[in-house]
Amino acid sequence: MIERGRQTGEFDDRLPLGWLVTAIVKLAHSASEEQQAGRMSSQEAEHALRTSVLRLLGAAREEDDAYRSR
């Protein structure tokens, strides 16, 4: 998915692929931990993860706008 997004220009290609994969896995674990600890609802954790991953990949602004309009 990351490579395809890079090829289409949807994602930034300046960071190493391995770094991005590791960072996304860690973000997913963090979102889960926050939810399990009761510091975030399921919806908040999902939004935080999605927003963070998209920003990490260099693609986030449209997603932020869609969330705010809910």
Side-chain angles (χ1 to χ4, degrees):
M1 176 190 78
I2 296 170
E3 289 178 338
R4 187 173 50 233
R6 286 175 160 191
Q7 290 171 356
T8 64
E10 190 174 351
F11 298 154
D12 189 341
D13 64 356
R14 292 179 288 180
L15 295 173
L17 181 61
W19 165 260
L20 293 172
V21 170
T22 299
I24 290 168
V25 169
K26 298 284 186 177
L27 283 168
H29 284 285
S30 295
S32 177
E33 290 168 8
E34 290 298 299
Q35 181 185 353
Q36 289 177 4
R39 292 186 291 264
M40 294 180 121
S41 69
S42 175
Q43 184 178 14
E44 290 169 329
E46 180 183 331
H47 173 68
L49 176 60
R50 183 185 313 257
T51 300
S52 298
V53 167
L54 288 172
R55 287 184 180 169
L56 179 65
L57 295 173
R61 296 298 167 212
E62 294 164 12
E63 181 70 19
D64 287 345
D65 293 341
Y67 182 80
R68 284 190 198 110
S69 66
R70 288 185 196 175

